[in-house]
Each structure stands twice: as C-alpha cells, then as structure tokens.
Amino acid sequence: MTGTPVRTLLLWCPDWPVIAAEIVDGVPATGPVAVLHANRVVACSEQARAEGVRRGLRRREAQGRCPQLTVVDHDPGRDARAFEPVVAAVEEVVAGVEVVRPGACAVAARGPSRYLGGEEAAAERIVEQVAQACAVESQVGIADGVFAAGLAARAGRVVPPGGTPEFLTGLPVEALGRPALADLLRRLGVRTLGDFAALPAGDVLARFGLDGALAHRLAAGRDDRPLAVRQPPVDLAVTADHDEPLDRVDAAAFAARALAERLHDRLAAHGLACTRLGIEAVTAHGQELHRVWRHDGLLTAAAIADRVRWQLDGWLSGSTGRAGARPARPTAGIVRLRLVPDGVLAQAGLQPGLWGETGEERERAHRALSRVQGILGPEAVVTAVLGGGRSPADQTHLVPWGDERIPARPGPPALPGEPALGADRAAGGPAGAGPAAGGSAAGRSAGAGRAGGGGSAVPPWPGRLPPPAPAVVLPTPLTATVHDAAGEPVVVSARLTVSAAPARLAVGTARPVEIVGWAGPWPVDERWWAPAEARRRARFQVCLADGAALLLAVEAGQWLVEAIYD
C-alpha cells in the first residue's frame, strides 16, 4: 500500500453501459434506456432517470415507472470494446493511462499539468480530445488518489493538493461502492466518510475485516494501490515477403536467419526479450501455417533462427515420423514469413541461474524436444501438468510441449503438510507410502464444482491423496487379489468394514507377496447424483515385504493397483 496518494486525473464517461449500447448496438441513448443485470438496473439514461428509473430497481418496477423503457442486457465485453477508442484518444494527449473500468480511466496528473499549462487546462484539453475523436461526453476530476479523483469527476471538480481528506469528509458512506458495508455503517450510526475515517484503523480491521480496512483507507483519502498505467502496445512482429516462393529448406533457412536477426534487434531496441515465438507462413496458394514455440529463458538471435529453421524443415520436408506417419506438406512454396514475439518481457525480467544464464543448463534438452516437435508435430512431445482431483490419475494431465499448461481439473494438487484423514491400521502405516491418504470416512465426497468453506472459488477436492505423490501412476490399473492370514479373500463392505486384516497381495498372475503394513480404507463416492457416471471405491496404502509401497483401490469387489510409491 502506498503512503502518499499520487495526484490523479480521472476521466469519467457518465452512463457508459448505455453509451456503449448505443455505439455497438445502435440503441438511442437519448431515449429512456436501462441496462439490466440479474434482473436489476445497473445503468440508465438521463431520460430514464427523469421518469423515476434508478439503479437497483427490478425490471418490472422500472418498466412500471417508465412503460416506454428500452431494456438492454448488461455486456461487460461490449462496454470494454466500446471504451477502447476513448482510451486511445486520451493516449494521443497524455501517456501512462490506466483503465479503471469501462467508462473510466486515470493518469498521473503531474505530467499533463506541466505540459498543458496546469491541471484545469489539462482537464479541458482531454475532455475536448475525447469529444472530437469519439463524440462522447466526459467529465474529469483531479484529486489525491484514484478513488477521490473518481468522486471528483462525478462533480467535475479539481480538488486542491492536500484537500482530499476535507473533500471526502462530507460524502455519504454509499460513495465507497460497498452497499453491504454502507448499510451496516448506517445502522451503526456512521453516515459519512469523515465519520468512518475517524474510527481507529485497528478496530475497523477487527470488526469489518480486510475489505473494511481497505474502505477505511479510501475514506481517509489514502489509496490502496498505486496507478498501474497501460503502455500502448508496440508492433514488434517482423515480416518478409518473397517474390519467388521458398520451397527448399536451405533457402527458407537462409531467409529465416535474416528475419530472426531483425526481430532480435527490434526487441533489443525496446529493452525487451522474447520467451515465446509465433511462426507464421503463407504459401503461394494462400494456405496459412502457424506454430508457437516456447523457451525457458531469453531467445537469442541464434535461438530464434534455429526454431524458425526447425519449423520450416518440418513444414517443407515432411519428414517421416513414428510408424511412417508423414506430416502434410504445404500445397506450394512460402511467399510470406512472419515472426511474432508472443511472450515478451523486460530483458532483465528473468533471474539468471547459479551457473549461467536462465535455462542454460537445460538448453540442449529443450532444443532436442523442440526439434522433435517441429518434425513430428505438436502432439509428439507432451509434459505432465498437475491439477485438482482425488486420485493421482485425475490430477495428472498431459499437454503438448509449448502449449499453455492448464490443468484438466480446477484446483491445485495436494499441498505439502496437508493433514491426512483416517487412521493407520498397522503400526507405522506403509513405510515409504507417506501419510495416510485423506478421504472423508463419513459420507460422500463433495462434487467437483462445489467450493469449500469460506466461499473459495477453487474446488477443495475432499478425499484427495495428500503428499508425497506416487512416483508412478499406472495408465491402466492392474488387477490384484488380497487375502488375509487364513487365505480368505479380503472384502470391504458397503459400510467400509474390512473382513480381515490384509496379509498377502498378488498382482495379476505373480506370486503373492506378504503385506507388512497397510492403511485405509478411505472411500470416494463420486457423482452419486448421476447413476450412469457414479463411481464408488475405497482406497488403501500397503507396504510389501520386498520394500514396494502401492496404492490400492477396491471397486465392485475387484482389487486394483493404481499407483506405485518410490
């Protein structure tokens, strides 16, 4: 959090959702218009307000007050798209613009005021620029901090430096934009921002939590964060057109090296480096080819040239892959080659390793994987991504090398030190198998989309296995048999009662091995509400006499080996 708020100039476009609907969908904003979300009014036009329509009204009540009301659905994407030309118009006058939300943008006031002859002159110049370029009416407010500047913009005021706390003092608590907090404060007798700011910060944090503490800072004229300015995008891509189509690998590689050097020089001129490279090609017949290459480290000119050459080799030569598979060659030679730096960051933004530049110790492996992928295709090289799930197989997802590593199931995998549920049934449990797996032994496990206590958006996955994770997850579980000391099969009842202590395990047709330690059972009852997809099983961890530690599951009376611990 910042100690001293930055002097801020904020541009505000009144009733922006209504204006955006007029710009994008042609809805006349001069008439009575209301934008609705969840059946409530979130914005309305001036004519609608004159008829009694207000924010927060239900649709039926708003239409009852104004029968000729035009109703428009709320679309944040539409609001953002329509606001982009306004931001671009502001950037023609000043630099370092932050988009607060669609309809409002902010900039540090010091630079524009010095360049344009004062704060009021800067505000007039920006309003005029937006009106001329976009035909949009706007208001500007200037104060210490983004929050105060936003309130000043609604009144079209320029608050003197240092006068922000006084400006905020008389405003109602509803100005915080937190209806629930404002309602509670009013019931406690706190009606203005000045009254709220006068409360001790420690008491506010204890009574209202972190969000209340942030609101308390805003009421006192202190912002909770500095301006995060938007940098205008720079076109860094390089393109080369060829009159003669490139249909030979050596000719294409020669052209690619010159293009790679141009890209590297352009990035260096802006103090940037590339970690992800997009390679685009267009053939003489109009066929478009595209591939993205990722690199763990800074892509040098030579590294860029290598990746372009490998990709062109894969496209033009059609090298034979696994089992004789041959990628389809382009229908004609390449007439346009374009390199797009898709992953760009400051050149000093990567931390060097202890023994050299970032990723240098893994460069050979990465080059080999990238080259194989360029020849055989993106699906030929895959890496594992961990995500949410209750079993090791659910938590692991394979993605092509270089693709975005998005888990197949939301939620993080089990974290180190996470407490395990259940109790070991043998002294010490399965040595080497880690803590007892966590499964709720009382009732069904929560569904995949259900959030845990506290309203978290990430599924908690109750019943998942805690660390350490198994070293090997079998793609297809192996069938097994488990017997007790008397040679009878071990059975788990519907009430999770084990018929006898497991004594021997036989995997497939192999000889039985003595079980020296075991833990479980822990149930998993998934998708019980969908009979066609329902799955109910109980899991065990066992340690064998030969030192192996396994994760077992029993489902429909059949024992399975799901994973092996190291």
Side-chain angles (χ1 to χ4, degrees), residues 381-458:
V381 181
V382 295
T383 57
V385 179
L386 293 180
R390 299 185 178 87
S391 66
D394 295 337
Q395 296 177 9
T396 306
H397 174 55
L398 298 178
V399 299
W401 171 262
D403 285 6
E404 190 172 1
R405 297 171 60 83
I406 300 178
R409 295 167 179 251
L415 301 176
E418 187 175 356
L421 304 178
D424 292 343
R425 298 298 179 90
S440 174
R444 297 180 172 93
S445 57
R450 182 185 301 175
S456 172
V458 178

Side-chain angles (χ1 to χ4, degrees), residues 478-481 483 504-513 544 546 561:
L478 302 176
T479 59
T481 56
H483 295 85
R504 286 185 297 276
L505 169 70
V507 180
T509 58
R511 296 180 57 185
V513 181
L544 306 180
D546 59 5
V561 179

Side-chain angles (χ1 to χ4, degrees), residues 12-21 29 35 43-47 49 154:
W12 173 61
C13 300
D15 306 326
W16 182 252
V18 177
I19 302 300
V35 179
C44 58
S45 64
E46 183 177 356
Q47 182 65 31
R49 283 193 295 272
R154 294 178 179 273

Side-chain angles (χ1 to χ4, degrees), residues 317-345:
S317 66
S319 302
T320 303
R322 181 183 300 174
R326 183 181 295 272
R329 295 187 57 182
T331 57
I334 295 174
V335 295
R336 174 175 294 177
L337 188 61
R338 188 167 184 257
L339 303 183
V340 182
D342 192 25
V344 175
L345 73 168

Side-chain angles (χ1 to χ4, degrees), residues 243-433:
D243 296 333
E244 294 293 331
L246 302 175
D247 52 6
R248 297 198 337 263
V249 176
D250 55 348
F254 180 79
R257 180 167 294 277
L259 196 60
E261 292 176 355
R262 282 177 51 194
L263 175 62
H264 186 265
D265 293 343
R266 179 171 295 186
L267 291 171
H270 289 86
L272 301 174
C274 174
T275 60
R276 194 168 62 248
L277 176 68
I279 304 174
E280 301 176 358
V282 180
T283 68
H285 291 169
Q287 182 182 5
E288 296 182 358
L289 308 172
H290 178 73
R291 182 65 53 81
V292 176
W293 291 73
R294 186 185 297 271
H295 176 68
D296 187 12
L298 303 179
L299 280 172
T300 63
I304 295 173
D306 285 343
R307 280 151 181 78
V308 179
R309 175 169 53 85
W310 296 337
Q311 188 57 60
L312 293 175
D313 189 4
W315 281 337
L316 295 177
S317 66
S319 302
T320 303
R322 181 183 300 174
R326 183 181 295 272
R329 295 187 57 182
T331 57
I334 295 174
V335 295
R336 174 175 294 177
L337 188 61
R338 188 167 184 257
L339 303 183
V340 182
D342 192 25
V344 175
L345 73 168
Q347 197 159 16
L350 288 179
Q351 176 66 38
L354 294 176
W355 298 278
E357 294 300 324
T358 305
E360 187 173 328
E361 65 279 3
R362 294 176 287 174
E363 175 65 18
R364 292 179 61 189
H366 288 187
R367 287 165 64 96
L369 293 175
S370 299
R371 185 165 189 179
V372 170
Q373 191 179 49
I375 295 174
L376 301 181
E379 302 294 337
V381 181
V382 295
T383 57
V385 179
L386 293 180
R390 299 185 178 87
S391 66
D394 295 337
Q395 296 177 9
T396 306
H397 174 55
L398 298 178
V399 299
W401 171 262
D403 285 6
E404 190 172 1
R405 297 171 60 83
I406 300 178
R409 295 167 179 251
L415 301 176
E418 187 175 356
L421 304 178
D424 292 343
R425 298 298 179 90

